[in-house]
Amino acid sequence: MKYDLIDSNLFIKNRQKFMARMNPKSIAVFNSNDVYPIGADSTMPFQQARDIFYLSGVDQEESILVLFPDAFEQKHREVLFVRETNPHIAVWEGEKLSKEKAFEVSGIKTTYWLQDFDRVFYELMTEAETVYFNTNEHYRQTVETQTREDRFIIECKAKFPAHNWERSNPILQDLRGTKEPEEIDVIQHACKITEKGFKRILQFVKPGVWEYEIEAEFMHEFLINRSRGFAYTPIVASGNNANVLHYVENNEVCKEGDLLLLDVGAEYANYASDMTRTIPVSGRFTERQKQVYTAVLNVKKQATAMLVPGAMWKEYHEEVGKLMTSELLGLGLLDKADVQNEDPNWPAYKKYFMHGTSHHIGLDTHDYGPLKKPMLANMVVTVEPGIYIPEEGFGIRLEDDVVIQEKGEPFNLMAGIPLEIEEIEDWMNR
């Protein structure tokens, strides 16, 4: 890993919060991700399962975390299992966590080698009545691959059929949705790396540059700032490509007079940033482009002010829709008849703004967080309205990551990233 270690106090707090929500005499298990094969002897770069990282800071394959607050022996209330290292592994794969290093990373005093898991876990299960299984219940998940967690759940139910089971996910949705100060600091760091990347390309973009060259400039800046790279597949969409919401081919040339939509974000220490900016390839916006840009920016600013404790997600998105409807009427993209005759299930504004305005962000770009409960202070969310006009050959989206505050407007983690029309043009023409 390239990043500086996060203070283990964060993971100690996270475990304490989780265990406080567990039923009596219950045990919770969290597995690392698999290393996924590509073919032959090739594998995809390892990324840790976010929940075990959230609770332990362990960023290594073949690791298991067990939480058992009511264990008879105090040493077994938090237990970490890691792959045993040896000189051969150190030569071929690099050094793995020792027991001492595992304690430094996680703050967990009891660490066993993975080979001892079955023996120790059986002993603990004789004391437990309920098992918390860690299932992925994110509202956007589309996982088709059997994960290490999936295999564990199947095996555990077969070996211990008389135990009760519970779900970790409802607890994690609540806990991960509200960030600790240490987490906000790491997300801020990721946003600062993204800022450096964006400022780099503002002076790189010009007619004739290819989208993939811009992607490479971002990657260069991210890597030299100790990021693993992009937090998600980057969107570098010039001209009409911006009207494809998840355009990721990034293989066309940027043309004079076109706009360039950039939806990119650096990760740092497994935490994501998520930025969108739309800039003129030629360095200056046309009058029409300015009109639409200003409309999107107006919605963004007003939507941001609505992100306060107590706000409900559904009502928030409905209010943003009303703001967007007003702007689209002003731009001449909608008329009063469109609004009067609209389908309540697909309002007229959806023709030009068809996605949501905000989502949680943290260890995942679309992070865990409750969507049917009121917003809380210290939730970190995006704000990303857009207007997409295929008939005019461009789309505009603007996005920042913000922290909801106890009082007042959210704190913008991307306040240093140029956003206003004058700022963008000034940076591009220096």
Side-chain angles (χ1 to χ4, degrees), residues 190-204:
C191 290
K192 286 293 184 183
I193 297 173
T194 300
E195 177 182 332
K196 291 179 180 180
F198 181 63
K199 288 178 175 177
R200 178 190 182 101
I201 69 95
L202 281 174
Q203 298 182 294
F204 175 79

Side-chain angles (χ1 to χ4, degrees), residues 193-257:
I193 297 173
T194 300
E195 177 182 332
K196 291 179 180 180
F198 181 63
K199 288 178 175 177
R200 178 190 182 101
I201 69 95
L202 281 174
Q203 298 182 294
F204 175 79
V205 170
K206 60 182 182 296
V209 165
W210 290 80
E211 293 166 346
Y212 58 77
E213 294 181 286
I214 297 164
E215 180 180 346
E217 290 293 313
F218 272 113
M219 189 61 164
H220 182 108
E221 194 67 34
F222 291 176
L223 286 175
I224 63 174
N225 282 282
R226 302 180 70 180
S227 164
R228 180 171 53 212
F230 294 101
Y232 52 93
T233 306
I235 297 170
V236 183
S238 61
N240 222 8
N241 294 334
N243 294 309
V244 180
L245 295 183
H246 292 123
Y247 171 81
V248 294
E249 286 79 5
N250 303 344
N251 62 359
E252 295 195 18
V253 69
C254 299
K255 299 172 184 176
E256 186 172 353

Side-chain angles (χ1 to χ4, degrees), residues 171-420:
I171 300 176
L172 289 167
Q173 289 279 2
D174 282 345
L175 298 185
R176 282 180 52 182
T178 304
K179 305 300 189 282
E180 292 288 342
E182 297 93 331
E183 293 181 282
I184 294 173
D185 287 344
V186 178
I187 299 171
Q188 175 72 89
H189 191 76
C191 290
K192 286 293 184 183
I193 297 173
T194 300
E195 177 182 332
K196 291 179 180 180
F198 181 63
K199 288 178 175 177
R200 178 190 182 101
I201 69 95
L202 281 174
Q203 298 182 294
F204 175 79
V205 170
K206 60 182 182 296
V209 165
W210 290 80
E211 293 166 346
Y212 58 77
E213 294 181 286
I214 297 164
E215 180 180 346
E217 290 293 313
F218 272 113
M219 189 61 164
H220 182 108
E221 194 67 34
F222 291 176
L223 286 175
I224 63 174
N225 282 282
R226 302 180 70 180
S227 164
R228 180 171 53 212
F230 294 101
Y232 52 93
T233 306
I235 297 170
V236 183
S238 61
N240 222 8
N241 294 334
N243 294 309
V244 180
L245 295 183
H246 292 123
Y247 171 81
V248 294
E249 286 79 5
N250 303 344
N251 62 359
E252 295 195 18
V253 69
C254 299
K255 299 172 184 176
E256 186 172 353
D258 276 351
L259 292 183
L260 174 67
L261 188 152
L262 302 160
D263 190 337
V264 302
E267 74 81 47
Y268 184 77
N270 289 309
Y271 282 84
S273 64
D274 189 357
M275 175 206 76
T276 307
R277 291 293 187 270
T278 307
I279 65 174
V281 172
S282 303
R284 301 283 181 191
F285 292 93
T286 67
E287 286 307 309
R288 178 58 171 172
Q289 290 167 351
K290 285 182 180 180
Q291 289 175 351
V292 180
Y293 191 103
T294 300
V296 175
L297 187 56
N298 287 342
V299 174
K300 179 182 175 296
K301 289 177 178 178
Q302 293 176 77
T304 301
M306 293 160 56
L307 292 165
V308 295
M312 296 297 293
W313 285 88
K314 184 175 184 292
E315 286 78 6
Y316 162 73
H317 280 108
E318 289 172 351
E319 289 302 312
V320 174
K322 294 175 184 177
L323 295 173
M324 182 60 77
T325 298
S326 177
E327 294 291 343
L328 292 171
L329 286 167
L331 291 169
L333 292 169
L334 295 179
D335 58 34
K336 291 183 179 179
D338 292 324
V339 179
Q340 290 169 352
N341 299 322
E342 70 182 9
D343 178 352
N345 296 315
W346 191 256
Y349 77 85
K350 289 283 189 181
K351 179 179 179 181
Y352 298 100
F353 174 41
M354 60 292 294
H355 57 78
T357 309
S358 296
H359 59 77
H360 289 276
I361 185 169
L363 282 167
D364 289 295
T365 304
H366 297 99
D367 205 23
Y368 278 172
L371 298 178
K372 297 180 181 178
K373 296 180 181 180
M375 297 181 192
L376 300 172
N378 294 324
M379 286 183 168
V380 182
V381 301
T382 65
V383 190
E384 50 178 312
I387 294 176
Y388 309 92
I389 320 174
E391 58 269 27
E392 296 186 35
F394 68 88
I396 294 175
R397 181 165 67 249
L398 303 172
E399 175 184 22
D400 283 331
D401 305 337
V402 303
V403 187
I404 297 175
Q405 303 292 291
E406 285 285 359
K407 294 182 179 180
E409 291 197 13
F411 176 75
N412 189 352
L413 295 170
M414 292 183 161
I417 302 179
L419 176 66
E420 299 287 342

Side-chain angles (χ1 to χ4, degrees), residues 22-34:
M22 293 172 65
N23 293 334
K25 293 190 175 181
S26 62
I27 191 167
V29 184
F30 302 88
N31 286 273
S32 63
N33 269 337
D34 283 319

